[in-house]
Amino acid sequence: MPTSKKRKSVPPVSAMDHISALPDHILHHMLSFLPAQLAVQTCVLARRWRHLWRSNTGLRIHGLDNENSVKVKDLRKFVDHLLILRERAHLDTVQIAFNEYDDDDLPDVNLWIRFAVMCKVWVLTLHILQGFYLDLDDLRLVSRHLVTLDLLGVALQKTSLDFTSCSALEDLKMNECKITADRISSHSLKHLSISYCYSDSIRRVRISAPGLVSLKLQDFIGITPFLEDMPLLQAAYVNLGSECMDFCLNYDYGVSYGANNNTCENCVPINNDCSRECVILSGISNAKHLELISEFGMFIFRRDLNHCPTFSKLRTLLLNEYWCETRELDRLACILKNSPVLEKLTLQLFSKGPNHKVEIKGSYSSVEKSSAISKHLNIVEVKCDEIDERILNVLKFLYAFNIWFSFV
């Protein structure tokens, strides 16, 4: 009988072999999610990976997950060598994030940002997580490719907030930044978010972004910015928090603005800072969806109502208890009167949410609709923690417009 030959075993195919066989653009996409330190270390995996990191489309300059506190100086030498050895391929994303920095670190961070811009970056993120603001006074962004800019813990001055040279910029996020410029300007910007930012200026920062589609202005610390006309605006969220400096020194809960001569030096408009005009409401009057929140005692919204614009496109409106403060509910009445196509009204009263103990649903009576508010209004929601005299006063006010309620 013929002797049987022993079959050679086929070597197993490793998962790495399968990954290595993927096209370059997919491998680059995978590497773009890794911190730069780990992306470079992939060069030892196989010959296929030796130089991939040099043309990676994403660059993440920050500490590793197991590093609690990372400073600029901790990565300075590594990043400087990385930028020298890296090819000048285009960058989709660059993320620079540190817990804190020293003044001596500013030239390095500016250099890294300029490198990103030179590589035609689309999405640029710069986060300083704690400590002092990173001052970008000497940096002027000029890019025809930058689409998204995300800033945290950065000090922004005049040149830093002129984005007219960033013709593709559409999305700007500023969180916990210091703003000392007189104006934020961009012709291309579509989405703007300013949260917990600070300004010590005695003049209002003007926001000039006529192409905005969405706006978020939350808990601005200092004098409320002035919003120029935004004709394309779809949605806006404005929250005037407790750190807002537009606060009436003679504030008395439940008393109408101007009654009993209760205005103060803060309330009096200043000629040269746009205060005699509508500061907020006129700029967002073209929006289809609005959320307007304010702490008691803030005078911007109530003073704007003296020159209340018509919200000719407004479909949905969310207001908090500020708008229902006085017994006459004059602020609520005014904005409803000037919202002719409003379809949904939500009143979030003395309850932060998102879960509310009491939700009351209301709708227009089909028998007779009031001419004092939108004939299109078909949904009214009142959300609160308990029904007290203040809530009953609101319900009574709305009932006068033939709005009937049911409890959920």
Side-chain angles (χ1 to χ4, degrees), residues 117 120-122 141-147 165-169:
V117 172
K120 302 178 180 180
V121 64
W122 291 352
L141 286 176
V142 178
S143 172
R144 294 182 292 107
H145 308 277
L146 184 63
V147 177
S165 298
C166 296
S167 56
L169 185 64

Side-chain angles (χ1 to χ4, degrees), residues 109-176:
V109 177
N110 278 339
L111 175 65
W112 301 343
I113 294 174
R114 289 191 175 95
F115 178 88
V117 172
M118 182 178 65
C119 292
K120 302 178 180 180
V121 64
W122 291 352
V123 179
L124 176 60
T125 298
L126 176 58
H127 286 183
I128 304 299
L129 303 178
Q130 61 188 37
F132 298 103
Y133 295 106
L134 176 68
D135 194 341
L136 292 185
D137 184 34
D138 296 328
L139 180 67
R140 178 181 173 87
L141 286 176
V142 178
S143 172
R144 294 182 292 107
H145 308 277
L146 184 63
V147 177
T148 299
L149 180 61
D150 185 347
L151 303 173
L152 184 150
V154 175
L156 301 160
Q157 301 194 32
K158 185 176 181 179
T159 56
S160 307
L161 288 172
D162 181 2
F163 298 106
T164 53
S165 298
C166 296
S167 56
L169 185 64
E170 295 184 356
D171 192 347
L172 174 60
K173 299 184 181 73
M174 294 185 289
N175 191 15
E176 297 181 22

Side-chain angles (χ1 to χ4, degrees), residues 42-60:
T42 61
C43 68
V44 302
L45 295 177
R47 180 177 298 178
R48 173 80 168 82
W49 294 78
R50 184 172 298 172
H51 300 294
L52 276 174
W53 66 271
R54 298 183 62 192
S55 55
N56 189 14
T57 57
L59 185 59
R60 296 181 181 271

Side-chain angles (χ1 to χ4, degrees), residues 29-289:
H29 182 69
M30 294 168 58
L31 288 177
S32 69
F33 291 97
L34 295 176
Q37 306 93 302
L38 297 183
V40 171
Q41 290 176 16
T42 61
C43 68
V44 302
L45 295 177
R47 180 177 298 178
R48 173 80 168 82
W49 294 78
R50 184 172 298 172
H51 300 294
L52 276 174
W53 66 271
R54 298 183 62 192
S55 55
N56 189 14
T57 57
L59 185 59
R60 296 181 181 271
I61 303 173
H62 56 72
L64 303 177
D65 291 340
N66 60 349
E67 296 176 328
N68 295 325
S69 179
V70 178
K71 299 180 180 180
V72 174
K73 63 182 179 181
D74 297 332
L75 289 179
R76 178 185 294 134
K77 185 176 181 180
F78 166 78
V79 175
D80 287 346
H81 280 87
L82 171 67
L83 301 190
I84 292 172
L85 296 174
R86 188 186 181 278
E87 297 175 3
R88 293 301 181 262
H90 292 184
L91 281 166
D92 294 343
T93 62
V94 171
Q95 183 183 76
I96 303 172
F98 292 97
N99 290 81
E100 55 187 275
Y101 87 104
D102 297 322
D103 290 338
D104 294 340
D105 299 327
L106 185 58
D108 295 290
V109 177
N110 278 339
L111 175 65
W112 301 343
I113 294 174
R114 289 191 175 95
F115 178 88
V117 172
M118 182 178 65
C119 292
K120 302 178 180 180
V121 64
W122 291 352
V123 179
L124 176 60
T125 298
L126 176 58
H127 286 183
I128 304 299
L129 303 178
Q130 61 188 37
F132 298 103
Y133 295 106
L134 176 68
D135 194 341
L136 292 185
D137 184 34
D138 296 328
L139 180 67
R140 178 181 173 87
L141 286 176
V142 178
S143 172
R144 294 182 292 107
H145 308 277
L146 184 63
V147 177
T148 299
L149 180 61
D150 185 347
L151 303 173
L152 184 150
V154 175
L156 301 160
Q157 301 194 32
K158 185 176 181 179
T159 56
S160 307
L161 288 172
D162 181 2
F163 298 106
T164 53
S165 298
C166 296
S167 56
L169 185 64
E170 295 184 356
D171 192 347
L172 174 60
K173 299 184 181 73
M174 294 185 289
N175 191 15
E176 297 181 22
C177 291
K178 181 180 180 181
I179 300 173
T180 57
D182 294 333
R183 175 183 291 265
I184 301 172
S185 57
S186 170
H187 300 301
S188 60
L189 203 60
K190 293 183 178 180
H191 309 283
L192 175 61
S193 175
I194 303 175
S195 300
Y196 307 100
C197 289
Y198 163 72
S199 173
D200 57 4
S201 174
I202 61 172
R203 297 172 61 90
R204 298 192 187 280
V205 178
R206 293 187 74 108
I207 298 179
S208 177
L212 271 193
V213 174
S214 69
L215 169 70
K216 180 179 181 180
L217 180 61
Q218 179 172 9
D219 290 285
F220 193 85
I221 305 169
I223 300 175
T224 306
F226 177 87
L227 305 182
E228 295 187 4
D229 190 31
M230 302 171 183
L232 304 180
L233 193 66
Q234 296 287 314
Y237 171 87
V238 180
N239 187 333
L240 304 182
S242 59
E243 299 297 324
C244 174
M245 296 302 293
D246 293 313
F247 185 88
C248 179
L249 300 176
N250 297 332
Y251 167 70
D252 186 8
Y253 176 81
V255 177
S256 297
Y257 173 65
N260 304 325
N261 296 316
N262 66 332
T263 57
C264 69
E265 59 184 23
N266 274 8
C267 300
V268 177
I270 301 173
N271 287 324
N272 61 357
D273 79 339
C274 319
S275 289
R276 290 192 177 276
E277 309 170 47
C278 248
V279 174
I280 295 288
L281 295 183
S282 182
I284 61 176
S285 61
N286 287 293
K288 293 182 179 179
H289 310 282

